[in-house]
Amino acid sequence: MSLHLYDTSTRTVREFVPVEPGRVSMYLCGATVQAPPHIGHIRSGVNFDVLRRWLLRQGYDVTFCRNVTDLDDKIIRVSAGEGVPWFVVSERNQRAFTWAYDHLGCLPPTVEPRAMGHVPEMIELMRRLIDKGHAYASGGDVYFDVVSYADRYGKLSNQKLENLRAADDTDTDSLKRDPRDFALWKGAKPGEPTWPTPWGKGRPGWHLECSAMATKYLGGTFDIHGGGVDLIFPHHENEIAQSQAAGDGFARYWLHNGMLKLGGEKMSKSLGNSLLIPDMLRKVRAVELRYYLVAAHYRSAIDYSDEALQEAAAGYRRIEGFVTRAAEVIHDVDAAAPLPQAFVDAMDDDLNVSQALAVVHEVVREGNVALAQGNKEQVARLLAETQNMLDVLGLDPRSEQWRTTGDSGLRDVVDALVAVALEQRQAARARKDYAAADAIRDQLAAAGIVVEDTPQGPRWELAQ
């Protein structure tokens, strides 16, 4: 079985065949940086990081473009409220997003363009659309003429043009030929940043930005466009319309991740129900939060609860416990060891990570049995399989990512403190003061640290 992905545009699971053999071009709608990220924002980044890692594992050369929308209506409102320039708001929150992506183990994008660095490309795209009769200038604004694209507009979101409401993206609908037309360019307003164009000063509309950046870095036709399901309409629908109307093939596969909800409602700053990444990392380690975010199928909705988060963290620690114990007896892991076929089949089936993790846990169970039996050959094979599967998911506890983040730094501190306590316990046992040794063990257990005596000496892990 080859890789198959659910394509929103056809509403079917399709075999993935890239434009160019051996190469994959991916565009992900990244952050609009009016505020720091919550876990709903970062879920998209983590889900598409898994897709990228799987493509890399299959031998593809992947170009991954994740944009930053560094100016829009929301950013302007925040900057006005704070009395600072728009770029101060954007830069501050862009750094927060980068920090969160890095801490959750997302590979850096090949390119991460900022929208306001691509105004010339946007102007050129508008010129092409106007020349082809699909856009028009009006009162300093530039609009896309939806009726000119009526035969195809709405196909991504499975809607008919006659059923669509007004675009509601400007306060200047009187300048539109049709209220459903959407803004490519917004004319200058007092206090707002502006750029010059042949049609007057102003700033870009949201939808125009992604088309200009995607085609600049990935070409007129590319493989995969991703984002949250909330972007299907109007954002992605409008991207397709303006890009294909201008003559570009644009994306061949459209992938959308489900929403992360809290109490059944979409997580958002406006509802005041956001769970910011620093707050989440006070609850669990970053690798455990990543495990929680990838464990559900990327297209499914997640209704967040602390209980589910802690269950996921405990599940990851069971995997980590096996890897840690096995690595004490197996020092050289075969990174080229084949993945279990059941894992491969799950990943090729529209990135069925939940099923892939079931395979991981089954291999871990087998590995624990092999450890108990002292079967080093079996342990070596199962450890290699486990770490290679975890590497695809960005969850290998022995990877450089989790050895060098704040997670491992905290673990190192705890490890050093526990080591002191264990040395004291060993000294107490050596002098046959078993009451003191048991007291130390009990104190560690009360702190959530489980001590196990092994032939190699005492080892510890966090209680599950």
Side-chain angles (χ1 to χ4, degrees):
M1 178 180 178
S2 59
L3 176 60
H4 285 64
L5 298 169
Y6 182 85
D7 178 12
T8 306
S9 64
T10 63
R11 286 169 286 284
T12 61
V13 176
R14 298 171 53 204
E15 181 181 6
F16 176 70
V17 180
V19 174
E20 184 179 351
R23 297 180 181 274
V24 176
S25 45
M26 290 176 58
Y27 184 89
L28 176 62
C29 275
T32 299
V33 288
Q34 84 273 13
H38 56 63
I39 56 173
H41 294 130
I42 299 302
R43 183 190 183 191
S44 178
V46 170
N47 286 159
F48 284 93
D49 182 65
V50 171
L51 172 59
R52 182 185 181 189
R53 287 171 181 267
W54 184 234
L55 291 167
L56 290 169
R57 178 77 187 195
Q58 293 182 317
Y60 287 107
D61 179 4
V62 181
T63 300
F64 179 54
C65 179
R66 184 183 67 209
N67 81 292
V68 177
T69 297
D70 53 347
L71 179 66
D72 80 336
D73 295 343
K74 296 176 183 177
I75 293 170
I76 289 173
R77 286 196 292 269
V78 173
S79 68
E82 294 184 4
V84 298
W86 64 271
F87 53 80
V88 171
V89 175
S90 296
E91 183 64 27
R92 179 182 69 220
N93 292 311
Q94 164 64 9
R95 290 176 180 174
F97 269 87
T98 299
W99 180 90
Y101 287 133
D102 290 347
H103 271 65
L104 270 292
C106 295
L107 299 173
T110 311
V111 60
E112 191 170 28
R114 297 190 181 201
M116 294 307 103
H118 297 78
V119 171
E121 289 82 2
M122 298 179 205
I123 293 172
E124 177 57 28
L125 179 54
M126 286 189 288
R127 192 191 311 275
R128 290 164 62 195
L129 288 167
I130 290 173
D131 289 347
K132 290 176 179 288
H134 291 294
Y136 58 93
S138 178
D141 295 347
V142 179
Y143 296 100
F144 183 85
D145 187 339
V146 172
V147 173
S148 74
Y149 194 71
D151 60 330
R152 286 180 283 177
Y153 191 78
K155 287 193 174 181
L156 180 68
S157 54
N158 198 25
Q159 301 183 84
K160 294 183 177 180
L161 181 59
E162 57 267 27
N163 297 331
L164 296 179
R165 295 176 294 179
D168 193 29
D169 58 348
T170 68
D171 55 6
T172 54
D173 278 1
S174 61
L175 299 175
K176 296 182 178 182
R177 294 176 183 172
D178 187 300
R180 296 167 296 187
D181 294 348
F182 59 88
L184 300 171
W185 190 261
K186 298 182 178 184
K189 293 181 180 178
E192 292 189 0
T194 62
W195 287 260
T197 76
W199 312 284
K201 289 185 176 181
R203 61 182 176 87
W206 177 33
H207 314 300
L208 182 70
E209 301 169 358
C210 285
S211 290
M213 288 184 283
T215 54
K216 176 180 175 65
Y217 294 102
L218 302 178
T221 300
F222 56 94
D223 293 309
I224 297 170
H225 193 310
V229 69
D230 57 328
L231 299 180
I232 294 174
F233 188 87
H235 185 47
H236 289 170
E237 192 76 70
N238 291 348
E239 280 189 61
I240 292 174
Q242 65 201 11
S243 301
Q244 293 186 346
D248 293 324
F250 212 53
R252 298 178 68 245
Y253 296 81
W254 287 84
L255 275 61
H256 293 92
N257 64 276
M259 292 292 95
L260 200 151
K261 301 179 179 181
L262 186 62
E265 289 187 306
K266 174 186 172 183
M267 197 171 292
S268 71
K269 288 288 290 182
S270 60
L271 294 175
N273 64 354
S274 299
L275 297 171
L276 301 182
I277 300 300
D279 296 334
M280 298 303 298
L281 297 185
R282 283 188 277 271
K283 298 175 183 285
V284 293
R285 294 178 297 156
V287 66
E288 294 166 348
L289 180 57
R290 180 183 174 97
Y291 180 95
Y292 171 74
L293 292 174
V294 305
H297 193 282
Y298 76 93
R299 287 194 287 118
S300 65
I302 298 177
D303 201 348
Y304 174 83
S305 71
D306 281 342
E307 294 77 14
L309 177 66
Q310 294 302 330
E311 286 177 10
Y316 179 76
R317 289 197 291 270
R318 285 192 290 273
I319 298 171
E320 183 181 36
F322 164 68
V323 172
T324 302
R325 289 191 296 274
E328 291 173 355
V329 295
I330 306 298
H331 304 297
D332 295 316
V333 176
D334 183 5
L339 297 167
Q341 189 58 46
F343 180 89
V344 173
D345 291 344
M347 294 299 292
D348 278 345
D349 183 17
D350 192 31
L351 293 185
N352 192 343
V353 173
S354 57
Q355 183 58 41
L357 280 172
V359 178
V360 174
H361 281 283
E362 179 57 34
V363 172
V364 164
R365 281 191 287 273
E366 294 177 21
N368 284 326
V369 171
L371 274 172
Q373 295 173 342
N375 189 334
K376 290 187 67 173
E377 183 177 345
Q378 277 284 81
V379 171
R381 178 179 66 81
L382 295 168
L383 175 60
E385 288 184 1
T386 301
Q387 286 195 240
N388 290 343
M389 289 188 287
L390 293 176
D391 181 65
V392 168
L393 304 175
L395 293 170
D396 180 6
R398 294 177 59 78
S399 68
E400 189 67 19
Q401 165 67 33
W402 305 118
R403 287 173 178 270
T404 58
T405 62
D407 270 8
S408 64
L410 178 59
R411 172 86 185 199
D412 290 344
V413 172
V414 175
D415 199 21
L417 293 173
V418 173
V420 172
L422 292 179
E423 287 175 6
Q424 293 174 343
R425 178 173 175 265
Q426 289 297 93
R429 295 180 71 181
R431 64 177 183 267
K432 298 185 179 182
D433 187 353
Y434 298 115
D438 290 345
I440 293 171
R441 182 170 185 156
D442 291 343
Q443 288 172 336
L444 289 170
I449 294 168
V450 178
V451 177
E452 177 186 3
D453 292 311
T454 74
Q456 291 77 33
R459 58 176 306 278
W460 67 273
E461 61 183 18
L462 295 174
Q464 297 179 3

